[in-house]
DNA sequence: GTATGATTAAAACGATCGTTTTAATTGGAT
DNA sequence: ATCCAATTAAAACGATCGTTTTAATCATAC
């Protein structure tokens, strides 16, 4: 065997490196995390990363792929189940939203197996400037996005697809901030006591569905202000 | 004079460095942008950054402060105007949202004076892991956030403040992705033709207000699934 | 026990980083 | 014209980066 037996009682060097890198990437970012920081935290030799993964870039991909493959598999499985239960009938947008974002939030709530750590990393990586990371994420997400967007199109007939695409993008942003919330919100409001992850899910879901089902914007071609009526 | 006369016909070295750094920070990120890249693009000597700003960190702060001070000044002015016109009466949440996010989007639509460039940078910096950047942004935003959150609390009586705080956070995430949308969405959906910045404003506003005014989540203390009714 | 392949250890590689130092050049005021 | 402060230019600093090389150690099959 060459790589990743991965079925041993104590985590081998390869897994320790992945865990250390994941945690450090969240804490300092991809670029600011050095190989020496990673191998130091993993109690491995400096050359171990290049030996097991080939390069730092390959390690970054391995860190993301390890979690992302399983997350997207769960997402597709949830969508499959919904579509099977509907058996051709109309699917509610809330079901689709919950399948996509609920699965992610469930992983983000899993603090025992490092899922929470990874989701914080993933949330801030959607806007990562690093070119190869962006392309890698795009490829990893291609199938899932295609499936879920198609499902949303079908569940919201009459709504322009561009509008759905934008709103899905907005929902991704809200989710990203929701997951990173513990980091960012404490900077905003001094004391932010209610970071109960159990409440985060319904909070985000209400917000996302409210935004998704909001009245369509009335675009005024001139520079006249748009008229959104009150709350 | 010691620094920043800043009223000359041709941009001086200091301004050229700020513009170059701003553009490079968007393209490559803060850490991945080197002093040599900055001074090279600005047609300045390598030592010019340390001479005019003192350090790279100080330059980063200068890049953000230059735009952020004016943006937040406009935001507070818009809020002042709204509260003056209301003269004690109830203010609609849509007005507050538009004052905060509309001002930002207007800056993001200003491609002539680099406002668009900066807002893309700002959006991805909210989740920046770099410690000193986060603290700097928190300080720059402290007053504005306090004012706007207080205004939202007043305009949404009966809604728990924690809920408003979270939803404001979600709105920040949606706006961040909205501004970075041109970058990120083209990775998602292959051809994404409708990036008309004129339509972005009403699109985002509808979504934000829909999310802000969504029904409050019903939190179920057990692990029972939450019941959000359909679309 | 010994050979063999996988892994770890230790040291060094060239490159680039942010910063500093020293010198040259500029532009006004006297 | 001359001095002086501000700015620019050029070169080097030590530190750290990702990576590679070479040697030592480990585990296992024979």
């Amino acid at each position: 065997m060459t790589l990743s037996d991965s079925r041993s009682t104590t985590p081998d060097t390869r897994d320790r490196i992945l865990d250390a890198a994941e945690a450090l990437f969240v804490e300092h970012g991809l670029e600011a995390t050095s190989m020496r920081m990673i191998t130091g935290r993993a109690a491995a030799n400096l050359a171990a990363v290049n030996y097991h993964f080939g390069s730092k870039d390959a390690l970054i991909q391995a860190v993301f792929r390890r979690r992302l493959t399983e997350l997207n598999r769960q997402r597709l499985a949830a969508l499959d189940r919904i579509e099977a239960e509907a058996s051709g009938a109309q699917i509610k947008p809330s079901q689709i939203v919950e399948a996509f974002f609920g699965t992610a939030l469930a992983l983000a709530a899993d603090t025992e197996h490092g899922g929470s750590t990874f989701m914080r990393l993933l949330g801030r990586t959607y806007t990562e400037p690093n070119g190869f990371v962006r392309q890698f994420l795009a490829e990893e997400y291609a199938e899932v996005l295609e499936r879920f967007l198609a499902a949303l199109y079908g569940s919201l007939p009459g709504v322009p697809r561009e509008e759905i695409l934008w709103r899905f993008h907005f929902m991704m942003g809200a989710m990203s901030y929701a997951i990173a919330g513990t980091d960012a919100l404490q900077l905003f409001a001094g004391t932010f006591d209610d970071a109960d992850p159990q409440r985060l899910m319904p909070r985000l879901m209400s917000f996302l569905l409210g935004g998704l089902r909001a009245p369509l914007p009335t675009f005024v071609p001139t520079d006249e202000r748009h008229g959104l009526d009150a709350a």
Side-chain angles (χ1 to χ4, degrees), chain A:
Chain A
M1 72 207 67
T2 53
L3 287 182
S4 88
D5 206 4
S6 95
R7 291 291 171 269
S8 112
T9 88
T10 169
D12 59 1
T13 303
R14 193 184 150 88
D15 287 330
R16 291 203 317 275
I17 289 177
L18 285 174
D19 292 336
E22 188 176 69
L24 288 168
F25 288 159
V26 173
E27 194 171 351
H28 303 100
L30 302 183
E31 304 261 7
T33 300
S34 71
M35 310 278 273
R36 288 162 179 84
M37 291 164 65
I38 296 170
T39 53
R41 183 179 178 125
N45 188 268
L46 170 60
V49 170
N50 284 284
Y51 175 78
H52 285 282
F53 299 93
S55 68
K56 183 183 178 182
D57 282 358
L59 169 62
I60 293 175
Q61 293 198 22
V63 166
F64 279 91
R65 189 154 7 223
R66 174 173 68 152
R67 309 267 188 195
L68 213 47
T69 299
E70 172 62 15
L71 171 61
N72 282 337
R73 194 197 59 77
Q74 290 183 17
R75 278 168 162 163
L76 289 177
L79 185 56
D80 286 337
R81 188 169 353 105
I82 291 170
E83 290 178 339
E85 288 178 359
S87 65
Q90 183 87 343
I91 297 177
K92 292 188 285 190
S94 62
Q95 297 178 278
I96 302 171
V97 169
E98 191 156 350
F100 189 89
F101 296 98
T103 305
L105 253 68
L107 180 58
D110 174 27
T111 57
E112 291 187 15
H113 307 84
S116 167
T117 301
F118 171 72
M119 287 308 293
R120 291 200 294 153
L121 172 61
L122 181 62
R124 70 167 48 141
T125 311
Y126 282 120
T127 53
E128 168 76 32
N130 187 317
F132 102 90
V133 175
R134 292 169 59 90
Q135 180 166 358
F136 167 73
L137 279 184
E139 293 169 2
E140 284 285 319
Y141 262 97
E143 181 191 357
V144 178
L145 286 172
E146 190 179 2
R147 283 282 314 272
F148 273 87
L149 281 175
L152 272 181
Y153 295 158
S155 75
L156 290 167
V159 178
R161 296 193 166 190
E162 285 175 354
E163 207 69 45
I164 295 176
L165 186 56
W166 271 109
R167 292 191 172 186
F168 191 84
H169 189 54
F170 297 156
M171 289 192 285
M172 295 274 293
M175 181 197 67
S176 170
Y177 272 48
I179 291 170
T182 313
D183 305 329
L185 264 183
Q186 67 185 3
L187 292 183
F188 290 178
T191 53
F192 183 67
D193 31 38
D194 190 9
D196 183 5
Q198 285 231 255
R199 294 180 190 255
L200 180 57
M201 172 93 88
R203 274 192 175 123
L204 180 63
M205 283 300 161
S206 296
F207 181 87
L208 294 182
L209 290 176
L212 179 61
R213 304 181 304 203
L216 294 182
T218 60
F219 175 61
V220 188
T222 70
D223 58 352
E224 188 181 344
R225 305 303 290 267
H226 65 286
L228 272 166
D229 35 1

